[in-house]
Amino acid sequence: MNKYIRMMIEVPTGILKMSMIKLFHGTSVKLSLISAISPSAEITVDRKAKVSIGSQFRQRSGSHIRIRKGAKLKIGNNVSVNHGCMIVSHENITIGNDVYINFGCTLLDCGQITIGNNTLLGPNVSIYSGNHSLDAAERIAGALIPEPITIGNRVWIGGGSTVLSGVTIGDDTVIGAGSVVTHDIPSGVVAAGNPCRVLRKITDKDKVGFPI
């Protein structure tokens, strides 16, 4: 059966009024009741896809999550997906706990995308885990090279940055706004530019006296 089953789910917590989820037959969806999905946000789950979403999940208006046939999406607790975001999983997307995805972000998973705990994505960050062939004939024929992307814990990726396939970003690193990340970035550094490069290590001198 190729038509969606349309479900209106009422969450009796007072945090959320209603949400729209589109499902194919044969899907597996686990959604915590303590969530806040805007009525104009959508989650679309194709056949044989698997979705697990933790508690205190917030998905704002105009955002769309699409899990393609046979793909997987796992979202931890206390995750925010803001207005206008597009998340598409062809393979496997894993998002940890306490992750904030600001408005207009795009996550396009052709291989695998993993985002660690307490990570911040600024506005209009794009993460692409697939690459087309540089050869025109192969590209026209549909050549696509998937490579996983791994973003560590407590990472901040500044607004307008792009993370390309095959990249690993280490824990506690900050990526400057507008960067294009084409290769691995180690833990605990400030990195920026196109292509993104390490500028310096983060030290105690970077503390601003904010109460912890």
Side-chain angles (χ1 to χ4, degrees):
M1 182 175 180
N2 291 328
K3 293 183 178 180
Y4 291 119
I5 305 169
R6 293 180 179 267
M7 301 178 63
M8 294 298 291
I9 299 178
E10 185 171 359
V11 179
T13 61
I15 297 176
L16 168 66
K17 305 293 184 181
M18 305 287 282
S19 64
M20 172 65 81
I21 300 180
K22 301 178 181 179
L23 300 174
F24 276 112
H25 286 297
T27 60
S28 172
V29 177
K30 296 180 180 179
L31 176 62
S32 169
L33 291 181
I34 308 176
S35 296
I37 304 176
S38 168
S40 63
E42 287 192 354
I43 301 175
T44 304
V45 186
D46 288 359
R47 288 188 299 272
K48 299 181 180 180
K50 294 183 179 180
V51 179
S52 175
I53 298 177
S55 65
Q56 299 180 350
F57 173 67
R58 295 171 295 279
Q59 185 183 356
R60 306 304 186 192
S61 61
S63 59
H64 188 187
I65 297 174
R66 176 73 183 267
I67 305 93
R68 305 305 297 265
K69 181 179 178 182
K72 298 178 182 179
L73 172 69
K74 183 177 181 181
I75 296 177
N77 299 325
N78 192 31
V79 172
S80 292
V81 176
N82 277 273
H83 308 278
C85 290
M86 175 67 75
I87 298 175
V88 181
S89 177
H90 291 267
E91 293 291 338
N92 193 349
I93 293 178
T94 300
I95 299 172
N97 300 323
D98 305 302
V99 173
Y100 189 85
I101 301 174
N102 217 320
F103 63 82
C105 288
T106 301
L107 277 65
L108 180 56
D109 159 41
C110 298
Q112 180 171 325
I113 296 173
T114 302
I115 298 175
N117 300 327
N118 298 106
T119 285
L120 307 176
L121 304 185
N124 300 310
V125 167
S126 298
I127 300 174
Y128 308 129
S129 66
N131 200 8
H132 296 285
S133 174
L134 295 179
D135 180 83
E138 289 183 344
R139 188 167 60 250
I140 292 170
L144 182 67
I145 304 94
E147 293 183 278
I149 291 173
T150 301
I151 298 170
N153 300 311
R154 302 173 300 277
V155 173
W156 174 22
I157 300 180
S161 296
T162 301
V163 181
L164 300 182
S165 61
V167 163
T168 294
I169 299 174
D171 295 345
D172 305 309
T173 280
V174 175
I175 304 296
S179 296
V180 179
V181 187
T182 61
H183 58 269
D184 292 354
I185 303 295
S187 299
V189 300
V190 176
N194 181 8
C196 187
R197 64 190 186 281
V198 175
L199 301 181
R200 63 178 178 85
K201 291 184 178 181
I202 297 173
T203 70
D204 285 344
K205 292 182 180 179
D206 291 302
K207 294 182 184 295
V208 296
F210 191 84
I212 299 174

